[in-house]
Amino acid sequence: MRRAVPTVVWLIAVVHLVVALAQTAVFPNARSPDERQQVDLVLQVAQGAAWPWPDPGTAFVTEGTDAGFFVPVDRLPGRQHLADRDDVPPRGERPSYADAGGGTSLGAPAHNQLVQHPPLYYLLGGAVVAVIPGWADQPLDAVWMLLRWGNALLTAALPMLFFLTARRLRLPAPLPVVVAATPLVVPELTHIESSVNNDNLLIVLFAAATYLVARVLTGDLRRRTGALLGAVTSLALLTKGFALLLPAWIVLAYVVAGVREGRRAGALRGLLVAGVACVPGALWWLRNRVVYGTIQPHGTHTDPPDLTAVHGWSDGGWDWLSRFTERMVTLFFVNDHDSSRSLDPSWWMARVALAVLLTGIVATVVRRGLPRPVALVLLFPIPALAAIVARGSWEQFAAFGDTAAAQQGRYLFPGIAGLMVVAVAGATALPVAWQRWLLPGLLALAVAMHAAFWHDVWTLYWLPEERLGGLGRAAGAMAFWYPVPPVLLGVVLVAGLVAAGFLVRWTVRATAAPATAAPATAAPASAERTPEAVA
């Protein structure tokens, strides 16, 4: 990896990781999607209460998790002014899981609906918790933070995977580096990375699958590549239900590769190997079908709820559609956290980022920045995921009249690697001299996105009611609330600033250099001229 990825991409990866770690302080525990339930299930696995895996409708949130957070876990009633609160115990004196009730169930209706998912993420999290001596008697907010840091580290390789995918597709320099930096433009992505959420494992596995799909699309039909792609898919199938679209994506990739390369027999062999390697993960879903009579059981009901449609389009279909569209855009790039849907700075910046993204995609398809079949295959997960989410949300509306169910833009994150590669590929239509300005432009957009996002978040959570001296008091409160010594985070932030400085220095030099002297990011000739590679 160190030889395959240039230094600038490692700098981007460090900045990306530090941004995620910084958000572990900006967002109080439990203020990420379903984070309390995620941590609760991890802790139940660690203490042996959730293994073997619970049946649907039988898992409840435990009382002990109350010790890990000090803000509401659901919608916020308004600004929190956390700098004004004085009811949080000092660090190290905060309650433990055992102090708050341990594994005692809160009982119905406090089901933990996450048992509808496969167990891989929770087994990994439980293994992390289990290595902490006497974790149940330690301050739970610190154990929670360890899990958050683990999630940030889990996703640290995303910029490298993005870069390798773009380079495999032979995007000219400096576009692969630009692709590597695209995670920085999506504050909600780094927010999810900074929280305890099974999305993180799925996002990483999808990014790895995207790289392998790119290899297939560029002629790598070897059985080894098929086996790796199937193995990654199997792990994803053991992580979350959205991975069920991966087998269809693999079939599509091999069909397109076989037709484009004129090597149908080789594509069929690779596809069969990938299919066999998918079997272990697919068995979980087959088990669900046999045991529960459905592919994915409902997490809070022993029997699936009645979803008979009683509402139609005339009962609010346009309201559902407009809200669904707005939420999938806003909550892809940012998150309003109090669900007020305010047209604040981050809401508007999400529209700016969307316009840039769509411009790049259209340019790629129209100007063939990538071969159109390749671009469409890479984009496939986004509409497929959106369709899955829309179907589930519409079912809830049709059955219960709920116009807001299951509308989370983060559900599209598994497809973000292919999405960003295709969007950046549109820049191949620009003159070479202009392409060198893409990275500084992207970094400027990332700074603007995070500035708007963090402005809204600090205003919602930390700033005191009296604004005089508010920023200093807010920072002091954040340091006090942080469950581990803030000096540790301070060291990380300093390292991130150093990496950011070197990244800016590299970007300035690359932008000012003559076109013929631009830093190379193409793959080594030995890597690209294998018999399996595209000519």
Side-chain angles (χ1 to χ4, degrees):
M1 179 71 76
R2 185 174 60 84
R3 293 193 301 270
V5 177
T7 301
V8 62
V9 177
W10 285 99
L11 292 174
I12 291 170
V14 171
V15 173
H16 163 256
L17 175 60
V18 170
V19 170
L21 291 175
Q23 290 188 338
T24 65
V26 175
F27 299 99
N29 284 357
R31 287 308 307 166
S32 297
D34 295 328
E35 190 174 23
R36 184 197 184 174
Q37 292 93 318
Q38 299 277 357
V39 171
D40 176 71
L41 199 49
V42 166
L43 297 182
Q44 289 197 52
V45 169
Q47 62 183 347
W51 192 257
W53 203 240
D55 291 325
T58 64
F60 297 90
V61 176
T62 58
E63 292 182 359
T65 52
D66 282 337
F69 57 91
F70 306 99
V71 290
V73 298
D74 295 318
R75 293 186 180 183
L76 297 176
R79 295 182 179 179
Q80 298 297 288
H81 305 303
L82 298 183
D84 295 333
R85 284 181 56 178
D86 58 2
D87 59 336
V88 177
R91 183 183 308 108
E93 299 178 16
R94 295 166 191 168
S96 68
Y97 185 73
D99 292 336
T104 304
S105 172
L106 287 177
H111 291 88
N112 193 324
Q113 81 278 12
L114 298 180
V115 293
Q116 66 183 310
H117 298 304
L120 179 59
Y121 174 82
Y122 305 100
L123 292 173
L124 293 175
V128 171
V129 172
V131 302
I132 305 174
W135 67 266
D137 296 311
Q138 302 294 327
L140 184 58
D141 64 333
V143 177
W144 195 307
M145 188 56 61
L146 177 65
L147 288 171
R148 280 186 160 194
W149 277 56
N151 276 260
L153 292 169
L154 175 66
T155 55
L158 284 180
M160 278 84 85
L161 290 169
F162 281 37
F163 169 83
L164 292 172
T165 302
R167 190 180 68 169
R168 178 68 194 190
L169 293 165
R170 294 187 172 182
L171 295 188
L175 298 191
V177 174
V178 177
V179 173
T182 54
L184 297 173
V185 184
V186 187
E188 179 63 4
L189 175 63
T190 48
H191 168 224
I192 293 299
E193 293 170 359
S194 73
S195 67
V196 184
N197 197 305
N198 63 353
D199 283 349
N200 291 318
L201 179 57
L202 188 69
I203 291 166
V204 172
L205 292 171
F206 256 86
T210 303
Y211 168 66
L212 293 169
V213 164
R215 294 195 68 90
V216 171
L217 292 171
T218 51
D220 185 353
L221 304 180
R222 292 175 294 178
R223 288 186 288 271
R224 182 178 67 179
T225 301
L228 285 172
L229 183 53
V232 168
T233 298
S234 191
L235 293 174
L237 287 168
L238 292 172
T239 302
K240 200 163 185 175
F242 286 133
L244 288 167
L245 67 84
L246 274 170
W249 191 30
I250 292 172
V251 171
L252 179 62
Y254 273 104
V255 168
V256 170
V259 172
R260 292 186 71 236
E261 300 294 318
R263 298 165 55 197
R264 291 173 175 80
L268 181 59
R269 285 194 297 269
L271 178 59
L272 290 175
V273 171
V276 171
C278 288
V279 168
L283 289 176
W284 177 265
W285 302 96
L286 178 62
R287 164 194 173 272
N288 283 349
R289 184 67 179 176
V290 171
V291 176
Y292 305 119
T294 182
I295 292 294
Q296 184 165 17
H298 200 281
T300 61
H301 296 74
T302 304
D303 298 316
D306 183 7
L307 295 178
T308 302
V310 296
H311 299 278
W313 189 263
S314 61
D315 299 314
W318 282 114
D319 291 339
W320 170 83
L321 181 60
S322 63
R323 183 185 175 97
F324 178 83
T325 304
E326 187 270 330
R327 295 283 82 185
M328 295 302 287
V329 173
T330 303
L331 301 183
F332 180 89
F333 291 102
V334 295
N335 196 320
D336 56 17
H337 293 274
D338 59 351
S339 301
S340 64
R341 303 175 69 191
S342 302
L343 304 186
D344 49 29
S346 62
W347 190 95
W348 287 107
M349 285 305 302
R351 270 70 197 161
V352 172
L354 177 66
V356 173
L357 192 67
L358 292 178
T359 299
I361 293 171
V362 170
T364 296
V365 174
V366 173
R367 301 297 298 272
R368 298 179 185 272
L370 290 170
R372 285 177 183 167
V374 171
L376 293 177
V377 171
L378 291 172
L379 289 174
F380 170 80
I382 295 295
L385 289 164
I388 293 171
V389 177
R391 179 178 180 273
S393 182
W394 175 261
E395 282 183 342
Q396 295 295 310
F397 167 73
F400 309 114
D402 186 351
T403 60
Q407 298 174 359
Q408 294 283 330
R410 65 186 172 92
Y411 292 149
L412 304 183
F413 284 160
I416 195 171
L419 178 71
M420 293 304 185
V421 168
V422 174
V424 173
T428 56
L430 297 174
V432 173
W434 292 16
Q435 292 180 21
R436 288 181 293 157
W437 288 94
L438 287 174
L439 184 58
L442 184 81
L443 294 177
L445 177 60
V447 170
M449 291 288 294
H450 282 276
F453 186 49
W454 286 32
H455 168 271
D456 295 339
V457 171
W458 278 65
T459 300
L460 176 63
Y461 287 112
W462 295 103
L463 289 178
E465 192 168 6
E466 295 294 334
R467 294 300 184 92
L468 184 63
L471 190 59
R473 288 180 57 197
M478 186 180 297
F480 179 82
W481 280 53
Y482 205 58
V484 297
V487 65
L488 176 62
L489 185 62
V491 170
V492 171
L493 292 177
V494 169
L497 288 173
V498 172
F502 279 113
L503 176 59
V504 170
R505 178 173 176 266
W506 187 96
T507 302
V508 170
R509 286 189 170 187
T511 304
T516 55
T521 57
S526 60
E528 290 292 347
R529 295 178 182 175
T530 60
E532 295 79 13
V534 167

